[in-house]
Amino acid sequence: MVLFGKFCTKLLFYLSGLQVSWVRRAGDKMQLLSFGHHVYSTDQRYELLFKDPNDWQLRISYLNERDGGHYECQVSTHPPIAFTVYLAIIDEIVIKY
């Protein structure tokens, strides 16, 4: 599982009443993952976590190689504010009990 959000939270510290979205970028294509408090992806592994006052986090469960790439937190200002994170999948971790 990976959790994005700490950097986006810092961008939002002084902003209130604005919409936040998470998107995934792949070349020229963008996939909307969330907008406001709603997740728009059909992939059940994506989850949006919100903690007052402005902590917007994207959680991805059960990571695999295809999840690697650029993810972007966007704030609905004019012009828009965005913070991009690159997720690199390095190796599968196996925990044995």
Side-chain angles (χ1 to χ4, degrees), residues 16-68:
S16 61
L18 299 172
Q19 293 294 326
V20 174
S21 60
W22 281 97
V23 297
R24 182 171 182 198
R25 289 189 171 270
D28 292 338
K29 296 182 182 180
M30 289 178 53
Q31 175 189 5
L32 179 65
L33 302 174
S34 71
F35 184 79
H37 291 277
H38 304 285
V39 175
Y40 286 95
S41 175
T42 57
D43 189 334
Q44 299 292 320
R45 299 174 310 127
Y46 290 107
E47 181 181 3
L48 183 65
L49 305 173
F50 173 74
K51 297 176 187 173
D52 278 331
N54 290 312
D55 189 2
W56 298 86
Q57 299 177 1
L58 176 67
R59 181 185 296 177
I60 308 171
S61 300
Y62 308 107
L63 290 173
N64 61 56
E65 282 185 22
R66 292 175 287 151
D67 294 320

Side-chain angles (χ1 to χ4, degrees), residues 53-90:
N54 290 312
D55 189 2
W56 298 86
Q57 299 177 1
L58 176 67
R59 181 185 296 177
I60 308 171
S61 300
Y62 308 107
L63 290 173
N64 61 56
E65 282 185 22
R66 292 175 287 151
D67 294 320
H70 291 92
Y71 292 82
E72 192 170 280
C73 175
Q74 300 178 342
V75 183
S76 64
T77 58
H78 186 71
I81 295 172
F83 181 80
T84 302
V85 177
Y86 182 78
L87 175 63
I89 307 297
I90 297 173

